[in-house]
Each structure stands twice: as structure tokens, then as C-alpha cells.
Amino acid sequence: MEYHQEEMDELIASLPKEKAFLAPSLCLYQNFWFPITVLPNIITFQRHFKAKDNDIVLASQPKTGTTWLKALVFSIVNRHRFNPSNTPLLASNPHELVPFLEFTLYANNAKPNLDDFPEPRIFSTHLPYSCLPESMKRSNCQVIYISRNPLDTVVSSWHFFKSLVRPENQPERSMEEHFETFCQGITGFGPFWDHTVGYWNESLEKPHKVLFLKYEDLKEDVVAQVKRVAEFVGLPFSLGEEKEGVAQEIAETCSLRKLKDLEVNKTGKFMPNFENKSYFRKGEVGDWVNYLSPPMVARLRSIMEEKMSPFGLEF
Ligand code: A3P
């Protein structure tokens, strides 16, 4: 079903709204906060996307390791076509190789023909599980979700927004202000906990459909997680590949150090306001100690305990 501008304007006018940090305002739709400017794309994506059974969808919230996951999954799936010396990652940002459905493919009310995408098609989205198009839920397409400790996520997103060009009349937002809205759940694609718990529960219920990864586990042993992903998508490493250290090679090619150093990621842009370099910062676990006061940490920890621990989800 096409949407008409009038219908969209009416819908947006009827939704609760909040001002966001630098980004466009957020509106509450289907229980989550979405950038107002992206909502039309989301609705078109929800209405028109037809999943194929062999699709791989990478899902995440902003600043939880999306870029890393894209580089890794692209490399794992395409490892018989490309090696470290000819991988397209050398010339393209991971977000170009694995496009966002709502930011890129369905932008500007486009209805892209995605039938000709090389298979298996790899797409990405920040949408919560409950908001995914029905065909994604009903088909056998697989979803790989990455999450991250909210303490590090809130710090990472503060740095990210600070790195964007600020309109002249907009003052810089303090970490305290940014933290406050995060704790209220008012972040793009948030509340953080509802998004994470949604995918977590699906991964427990349908382990062949949804793989739940944590940024921290990748940091601890990326090779083990690369092998886990390869098995999940039905492309386990052969004995020969094990001997040749292919998983290690992929991990190295996709390391923060390697990607950050590439010309394309130092200078390029993948969307008009988003410079590739903003996606590569420190990549550390526990960087929050440098930015959050003990009361802030206690507050967020108590929210995590209330909203995520009851489901067995700990960071
Ligand atoms: P920090 O801001 O903590 O450094 P996203 O890709 O979802 O936007 O997440 C960005 C975060 O992932 C940033 O975290 C960024 O530095 C980190 N990151 C990006 N590429 C990475 C990689 N190859 N390895 C590890 N971390 C990476």
C-alpha cells in the first residue's frame, strides 16, 4: 500500500514527540521512539519489504557495534569471493556494503527492487523486532542482533552526536542531559531495554532464526564469535579454512585499527550528514568510567536490573 503525504502528515501530527539531540525530533510509534524524518521510510519498509528465506538481516541499536557486525558478516558470507587483499571493505564503508533498510533503501518513499541483490542478501535495520515487516518474521530469513552494555552505549552515542555538525543556534548538549533522556528511554529506536529484550526473547524462543551477540563478547574473543556467526548462517569454516586461519584473517581485516585507517573511512560519507570517521572511535569496553559519575552509573544499573535482568539478560 502506498502512503500519501497527507496520511503521513496526519499520522505524525497525532504521535507524541520529543526533541532529540542534534538529530531530528523523535516520535513515539508502535511503542518506540523513531526520528520523525525516518518514520515515512520505516512505514514504507514495513509495508513493502518481502523477505526471502535466505536473507540475513543485521539488527542493532545505534552505537552498539553495527558497523563492526556489518564488516564481519559481509566478510564471512563472501569469503569465497574475496580475501583480505581484494575485499570491497578496502574501498567502501561497511554501511555501503550492508545497507540500512530504513535509512538507505527505503529512503524518500522509494520502493526499491531488491530482487536482484546478490544472494544471500544482507541488509541491516535499527527497527525493534516487534516492528519488523511480517514477511521477515514469517519467512526463514535469519536475524543477527548485536547489543552492548548500555553504559558504554550512552557514552558512545554522546560522542557520536557531538561529532555531527551542529546547527548554529543549537548549543552542545552535556553528557548529563544526554544521559537523562537515555534513562527515560527517549533515544532513536529506544527505549534501549525494550529493543534489546525483544530480540533477546526471540533468540531464546527461535535460536535458529535470531542470533543474539554482545559487543563485549566480540571484544573478548572475536574469532570465536566469527565462527559462531558462520555456523549460524550455515557456512561453518571447513577443516582446511581452520588450518589456514581464515576466521583469524577476517577478524583482523575487520578490526577497528584496520578499518579506521582506511582512506574511505577517514574521509568518506555514507549519508549526507554522516561522516564515515564518526563510526570508528575507541572501541573499548568500560570507557564509561571516564564519563559517568557514580550516581549516574547506579541509576542506569538499577534500570538495567529492573528492565533486563528479569529476562536473564546481563551486561
Ligand atoms: P565507541 O564510541 O565506544 O568507540 P555503531 O557501529 O553501532 O555505530 O557503533 C559504533 C561503536 O562501535 C563505536 O564505539 C566504534 O568505535 C565501535 N566500532 C566501530 N567499528 C569497530 C570495530 N571494527 N571493532 C570494534 N569496535 C568498533
Side-chain angles (χ1 to χ4, degrees):
M1 201 201 322
E2 305 269 334
Y3 80 72
H4 295 288
Q5 196 54 47
E6 248 172 54
E7 177 205 355
M8 193 58 57
D9 293 345
E10 264 174 41
L11 171 69
I12 290 177
S14 72
L15 299 173
K17 290 176 207 68
E18 288 284 344
K19 277 233 166 309
F21 182 24
L22 288 182
S25 296
L26 301 174
C27 55
L28 188 65
Y29 176 70
Q30 299 181 342
N31 300 320
F32 287 86
W33 290 99
F34 298 112
I36 282 188
T37 49
V38 185
L39 189 64
N41 310 354
I42 291 174
I43 292 174
T44 316
F45 161 43
Q46 287 179 322
R47 288 182 183 175
H48 293 275
F49 183 77
K50 295 276 169 291
K52 293 188 182 183
D53 284 331
N54 60 347
D55 281 346
I56 301 171
V57 179
L58 310 185
S60 63
Q61 288 186 76
K63 312 332 288 174
T64 59
T66 316
T67 316
W68 194 9
L69 183 65
K70 287 186 182 191
L72 289 170
V73 175
F74 178 87
S75 304
I76 293 165
V77 170
N78 291 297
R79 66 186 190 267
H80 301 301
R81 295 168 62 202
F82 305 120
N83 60 48
S85 59
N86 67 3
T87 172
L89 281 167
L90 297 174
S92 305
N93 176 268
H95 295 288
E96 293 172 62
L97 300 175
V98 180
F100 277 111
L101 285 152
E102 66 276 11
F103 289 113
T104 310
L105 296 172
Y106 284 89
N108 306 321
N109 204 12
K111 307 219 185 34
N113 177 6
L114 303 174
D115 289 342
D116 299 334
F117 246 68
E119 296 188 19
R121 305 184 301 178
I122 315 174
F123 300 121
S124 86
T125 183
H126 282 327
L127 254 62
Y129 192 86
S130 58
C131 299
L132 292 181
E134 276 311 305
S135 81
M136 264 189 192
K137 295 185 197 160
R138 266 186 279 108
S139 73
N140 290 326
C141 86
Q142 290 186 297
V143 178
I144 305 177
Y145 184 74
I146 187 159
S147 192
R148 186 179 192 185
N149 187 325
L151 293 159
D152 279 330
T153 306
V154 69
V155 169
S156 181
S157 59
W158 184 67
H159 282 286
F160 180 75
F161 284 118
K162 260 165 58 98
S163 76
L164 301 180
V165 180
R166 200 155 22 103
E168 257 173 36
N169 54 359
Q170 200 158 13
E172 196 162 284
R173 194 188 246 192
S174 68
M175 171 59 94
E176 285 71 20
E177 287 171 285
H178 182 60
F179 183 84
E180 179 57 37
T181 50
F182 188 90
C183 287
Q184 289 173 13
I186 306 170
T187 48
F189 304 91
F192 181 95
W193 18 95
D194 295 344
H195 198 290
T196 305
V197 166
Y199 280 96
W200 171 249
N201 286 341
E202 290 300 324
S203 76
L204 298 179
E205 224 173 88
K206 299 180 201 123
H208 298 293
K209 180 160 186 79
V210 181
L211 178 68
F212 189 97
L213 302 174
K214 288 184 185 161
Y215 184 89
E216 293 73 23
D217 293 340
L218 266 73
K219 285 291 291 186
E220 193 174 311
D221 187 348
V222 62
V223 173
Q225 299 301 319
V226 163
K227 291 181 183 174
R228 199 172 156 216
V229 167
E231 274 184 27
F232 176 73
V233 297
L235 299 167
F237 289 93
S238 66
L239 274 179
E241 286 180 311
E242 290 277 355
K243 270 198 208 139
E244 286 169 26
V246 176
Q248 284 80 357
E249 251 176 30
I250 289 174
E252 175 61 15
T253 305
C254 300
S255 67
L256 180 61
R257 186 175 43 82
K258 275 269 161 81
L259 294 181
K260 196 176 180 169
D261 230 28
L262 295 169
E263 203 51 35
V264 60
N265 294 327
K266 285 198 229 167
T267 55
K269 280 184 179 187
F270 93 94
M271 285 197 290
N273 293 327
F274 296 87
E275 289 185 287
N276 292 346
K277 66 175 184 225
S278 313
Y279 290 84
F280 306 94
R281 196 181 63 95
K282 257 188 181 174
E284 280 177 8
V285 171
D287 191 33
W288 54 264
V289 294
N290 300 311
Y291 297 93
L292 305 180
S293 67
M296 289 162 103
V297 175
R299 175 158 177 224
L300 191 43
R301 284 226 164 104
S302 102
I303 297 174
M304 290 158 68
E305 214 160 283
E306 183 199 331
K307 305 279 192 188
M308 298 200 282
S309 300
F311 299 95
L313 187 51
E314 306 283 350
F315 285 93

